[in-house]
Amino acid sequence: MVRAIRGVLIECEPAIKSIIVHLDSANNDIIIEDLDETHLVVKENMVQVLKQKLDDRLKETYRPEEPLEDSE
Amino acid sequence: MSVAPQSYQLSDYLEKLPGTTFRKLYQQPSTAFAIFRRMLPPLAKVFVQALLYMPSPLLLSELDVWVRPEGKMHRDRALSILRSLHIIQITPPGRDKPQEIQLTTNFKNSLRLALEGGGTHNSFGVPSKLPVDPKIDIAHLDNYARKKWEDILHYVVNSVPVHGEGGGGGSGGGPKASVKELLLAGRLVERRPDTRGGVGITQAGFTFLLQEANAQVWTLLLLWLEAADHTKAAAGEHAKGPAMPDSIDMLSFLFMLASLELGRAYDTDALTETRRNMLPALVDFGLIYIPREDPRQYLPTRLATTLTSSASALRSVSSGFTAATANNPGDASSLGIAPEATSKGSIIIETNYRLYAYTSSPLQIAVLALFTQLNMRFAGMVTGRLTRDSIRRAIGFGITADQIIRYLASHAHEQMVRAAAATGRPVLPPTVVDQIRLWQLENERMRTMAGFLFKDFDSAEEYLSLSEYAEEIGVLVWKNDRKRMFFASKFEQLRDYLKSRKKAE
């Protein structure tokens, strides 16, 4: 029987996807379906949490420069 | 990585209504006419006009003859919209009978009535026979509507936590308590004890602020309709209350208001009791005006009469803000279909990301503070910078880079516009525009889209037919034939399609 499951489709780079999969592996409470290398379906109510976690994770490794420092 | 700002639109609301609701709605010629006018793409209008006076159903295959083969996608979209609005009926595909298409009865009859006139439906309002105070002219109405709407915008904007003394000091007492409740219920603002005024703006609130005025009005009205439904559902459990307005009647009343003439007085006695009960709320929104001396009359304002006109005829977000931020209270022309000339730009932005705005309007300063790091405030001018953090924060609120760029471009100081025109360059420095976009990309590590995953199909054939149908009506987002799964942005029509397919078998 065909099923329709409500969720949020996420499209991202494979690297980001692997972080999401890793975040999910703790409790398995985020991902509904792992579609392919660049697509995932996640629970609607977890999107904000996921973003926050992903942000935190990226902050650890990634810090771009301001393009122009101002002297005020 | 923001979620695409989800603004609540009329089409989304209508799509969720059941067919019986539409049958009731379409009993009113004004509703049928308004839906025809506002909600349909051009090809769909062509179809409706062609079918309107057709005595018998048309074979679907004959409709195909009207459309060039390369226009098939437009045809399918048009039919899909017409079907979701319950304007057309298409017989289900059967083995022995070809598919036929026709307009639904109520819609057809009402649209004919609307075009030909006649009937005693009073669907387009009853003009008041009483004399109208000559002081209440169109300028007066515009002024009044602007004031009301500005109060609402001020209320939302003032809930922004502004650094320093940027915001604050909105004019007057703000909107009525009922409107505030509505903004709270619609989560455009939320209760936050730590902010001034006790409420803070939400992401939806930011999106609301940057919408064009017409979309803003509809957002608020739809919240109102939903709130009424909740109240009715809560009350209806126990007793049949006296004349509780239901959202269907409210909606058709709004469509009727949209068909009225600006500057003309209409008779409140000709309204049903439920509709008369709606008038105070509409006054609070600034959609209608009721003279204090004579409550038997009501006059629609421009906010009401432009509800269903085409979007291009309406004031844009920029002139909307100009209207809301205009310091000259006599400048009534800044509301509605005002000439763009009234919107005088005030923002100068330099290639080093510094921004100067010649304004003292709290509303405009608060809007700027959404995406700018404001540093200094002088009499009649503020200065600041666009920084990675300030843009990031704005994007975190749900504002898009394009919204910011459009806002800056449409509010650019005439000096910038002149300099750009003289040298043949774009108004905003390209480095700044590109950098704003880059900052957004940096934040958008993933794109999100709400919808439905379809899986566990019984057969390859079932998968193929449904996914193809999803693609035809333009709701297919992702699919994988091998896994037999696809993701669609909407599911109502797919569900109906599955049902009718089961029946045909």
Side-chain angles (χ1 to χ4, degrees), chain A residues 2-3 7 10 13 16 18 29 39 46-47 49-50 54 72:
Chain A
V2 54
R3 289 196 295 155
I10 290 183
E13 296 164 28
I16 302 293
S18 68
D29 56 352
H39 291 88
M46 295 302 285
V47 174
V49 181
L50 175 64
L54 191 59
E72 274 179 302

Side-chain angles (χ1 to χ4, degrees), chain B residues 472-490:
Chain B
E472 269 173 32
I473 61 174
V475 298
L476 186 75
V477 184
W478 174 92
K479 70 169 178 169
N480 186 320
D481 294 342
R482 199 168 45 77
K483 286 191 178 174
R484 280 194 206 159
M485 282 185 202
F486 69 85
F487 193 86
S489 52
K490 289 181 182 138

Side-chain angles (χ1 to χ4, degrees), chain B residues 58-61 83 90-94 97-101:
Chain B
L58 179 79
L59 286 180
L60 196 58
S61 52
R83 214 198 282 201
I90 300 180
T91 54
K97 223 170 132 234
Q99 278 182 285
E100 288 178 340
I101 176 173

